[in-house]
Amino acid sequence: MLKERLIRYSDLMPCKAAFIDAKTPGSHLKDNYSIIGGGVSESTHQKVNLSEKHGFCIGAGGQPPRVKNSPHSHFTAEVFIVYSSHWRFYWNNDEKSEIILHPGDIISLPTNMFRGFENVGDEYGMIFSVLGHDDAGGGVVWLPRVIEEAKDYGLILLENGKLVDTTIGEKIPEGSKAIAPLTESDLNKFDQYTVEDMKQHVGFVGTYKASNFKGFPNKTPETLRWIDVLGPKDSNDHKFSVKQGDPNGDGFNVFGLQSDATGTTGKYKRNEVEVLFIHRGQFEIFCSHNGEEITETLNDGDIFTFPKGSVRNITAKTYGFAYLVVGEDYPKAPQLVS
């Protein structure tokens, strides 16, 4: 049902113990959200708003000021959109390389690189994430110190990527083993990036230019602008790339929709799944699929996922900015519907 594809910001369901550092001081006040798809939570207690496979996963993290997410690495692209507060993203193995991002900014973190992040603002902050593929590449790789610190608080990560919390009576299942920390030789195989390198993987919301791609549906180009944010390396229209080391791609692209006032895309459809995330402003969506129709108004933080092949229309009701995550590595141009 189309109604189930609407996820209000107020409907997000946090997990307090999603990862191995959930009880380590400095990281113990985190909230983790799995919104679309299975995500990479290591906890069996993680709830998901919409478990339908999209070819990518969408989640979020919420943290009070000065709370960190410990250094880790992924096997597919990890993209963050800052929703609220101000965030320090740091990478490599020493936390010395960093960049500060603000609401609306986006960062694409390469594979085979350790990264972490911290809320450095003065309020509780939220960041939304997009992870490539349905299984997000097989989970999370942690620095050895993160695994060792977690043991002091009763948390053990298994080889299958699942978390055991001994403080609530959980035990390592028969036939399972705790994951072995990476060796020094293993750590030397991870890539190192300078700050200048990583600036190529950051998009700042106030600097975007309208897309040169003429295939976007738009009935009011004077007030509504499409933005190429993140996509394939060989596309000159995109701001930067998510194709970082996976020869098969990561299964998604990111676009933006910026409104100066009221405006509408007009009706269109596409063969790929398309997820609309409202960063700021008010947008009305129309969707028609398999004989069912829905019209809803979305506000800050709300999400709607359009099914493949559905007819849709997006109307800006106010000044605002929305991100769209579109499935496939090379999505086709949308098809206008009269």
Side-chain angles (χ1 to χ4, degrees), residues 44-159:
T44 57
H45 306 292
Q46 179 78 62
K47 292 180 171 56
V48 182
N49 288 90
L50 182 64
S51 59
E52 176 189 312
K53 291 183 177 181
H54 278 49
F56 54 85
C57 298
I58 291 184
Q63 300 171 196
R66 306 302 165 185
V67 170
K68 294 182 179 181
N69 184 290
S70 301
H72 62 282
S73 183
H74 288 283
F75 298 105
T76 66
E78 182 178 40
V79 172
F80 286 104
I81 301 170
V82 176
Y83 178 69
S84 59
S85 195
H86 309 282
W87 292 77
R88 178 175 76 99
F89 288 85
Y90 49 90
W91 55 92
N92 300 336
N93 302 351
D94 53 15
E95 297 194 26
K96 292 181 180 179
S97 300
E98 64 179 40
I99 194 166
I100 306 297
L101 298 186
H102 309 285
D105 295 344
I106 183 172
I107 184 170
S108 172
L109 294 158
T111 58
N112 201 52
M113 178 195 77
F114 282 101
R115 80 292 306 274
F117 44 88
E118 177 185 11
N119 178 3
V120 294
D122 297 324
E123 61 179 354
Y124 183 93
M126 285 281 289
I127 48 177
F128 284 81
S129 63
V130 188
L131 286 156
H133 301 305
D134 290 316
D135 64 355
V140 184
V141 179
W142 298 95
L143 281 180
R145 68 170 175 81
V146 179
I147 294 175
E148 294 301 324
E149 289 173 354
K151 290 181 181 178
D152 295 334
Y153 299 93
L155 295 180
I156 300 172
L157 185 62
L158 304 180
E159 289 179 334

Side-chain angles (χ1 to χ4, degrees), residues 5 38 138 263:
R5 306 180 76 84

Side-chain angles (χ1 to χ4, degrees), residues 14-34:
C15 178
K16 291 286 187 180
F19 295 106
I20 193 171
D21 64 342
K23 296 185 179 182
T24 304
S27 297
H28 66 294
L29 297 177
K30 298 184 303 175
D31 294 318
N32 187 75
Y33 302 85
S34 287

